Amino acid sequence: MARVRTVRSLGVVGLVLAAAVTAGCSGSSSGPPAASHASSGSGSTSTSTTTGGASAAPAPTESNPPGDIPDNQAYVAFRPAGGGFTVKVPEGWARTGQGGTTVFTDKLNRVEIATASASSAPTVASVGSEVVSRLRGQVPKFDGPKVSQVNRHAGSAVLLKYQGDSAADPVTGKVVRDAFERYAFYRHGHEVDLTLSGPVNADNVDPWRIVTDSFSWK
């Protein structure tokens, strides 16, 4: 009987130990998921921060507005075949010529140099009547003429400012509203009319000053 009791006691002890082990395993298995969940949450935060940094937009590339001549534009001296004067024009622009007129163009901008013989020097009055009247019939939607006397390095010149429509683009048909500056230089029976034009919203004050100040009689 004593042996039977001992066996039963050992059996009971074994059951108790088994229950304890099972409870321990159950408790430990509930821990990892919680820990895994917390790790996943912190991982999401880290990933979100990294992604945000990688997708940041780069700094925008600067560009010149339509019609603006770049600040780093180079200039070269132009002298007509007959001589008489020199003037700087933007380097690399397309050149065309007919008679006593030479034209330099690039995209929306234009420099026209016209030479002619004249018995007297142009005045604010003569340009305001004769030249303005002629241009009204030549320039589409000619408007806002303003005539004044200005000084450049070569001396006095008559400046006529006005606006007009450009010729339609042969491909797109687009018409640009242009601003014009026409400088009339005169010496010893020779007149040189220097006309600069580009879109009305373009800021070409400095380039046009470089060109007109470079004019020199030879």
Side-chain angles (χ1 to χ4, degrees):
M1 291 295 293
R3 181 178 177 83
V4 172
R5 289 194 185 97
T6 300
V7 172
R8 289 178 178 175
S9 297
L10 290 174
V12 171
V13 171
L15 291 173
V16 171
L17 290 174
V21 171
T22 301
C25 291
S26 176
S28 62
S29 64
S30 63
S36 174
H37 180 72
S39 174
S40 174
S42 61
S44 298
T45 302
S46 174
T47 302
S48 175
T49 301
T50 303
T51 302
S55 62
T61 301
E62 294 185 2
S63 61
N64 293 307
D68 273 18
I69 299 173
D71 293 337
N72 61 353
Q73 172 67 54
Y75 297 83
V76 294
F78 164 74
R79 184 172 185 175
F85 68 92
T86 62
V87 62
K88 287 184 179 180
V89 295
E91 184 178 27
W93 286 23
R95 173 180 170 178
T96 57
Q98 184 176 4
T101 301
T102 303
V103 178
F104 296 87
T105 57
D106 180 69
K107 299 175 183 176
L108 302 177
N109 294 301
R110 189 172 188 269
V111 174
E112 178 181 301
I113 306 165
T115 61
S117 297
S119 58
S120 60
T123 63
V124 171
S126 66
V127 170
S129 58
E130 299 169 14
V131 177
V132 168
S133 177
R134 183 173 71 250
L135 290 176
R136 285 190 187 279
Q138 297 175 345
V139 180
K141 297 184 180 180
F142 178 91
D143 189 38
K146 295 180 180 180
V147 188
S148 62
Q149 194 89 20
V150 296
N151 289 316
R152 289 296 184 264
H153 287 172
S156 178
V158 179
L159 169 61
L160 167 60
K161 290 185 176 183
Y162 60 95
Q163 292 186 7
D165 284 358
S166 69
D169 186 281
V171 178
T172 64
K174 182 178 181 180
V175 174
V176 177
R177 188 65 176 169
D178 282 338
F180 295 79
E181 293 184 9
R182 179 187 183 277
Y183 294 79
F185 295 91
Y186 178 86
R187 192 179 74 162
H188 305 327
H190 298 285
E191 182 176 338
V192 177
D193 298 325
L194 184 58
T195 304
L196 319 169
S197 62
V200 293
N201 292 324
D203 181 10
N204 289 329
V205 174
D206 291 338
W208 290 161
R209 184 78 189 206
I210 291 173
V211 173
T212 56
D213 264 344
S214 73
F215 181 87
S216 176
W217 293 105
K218 298 295 182 184

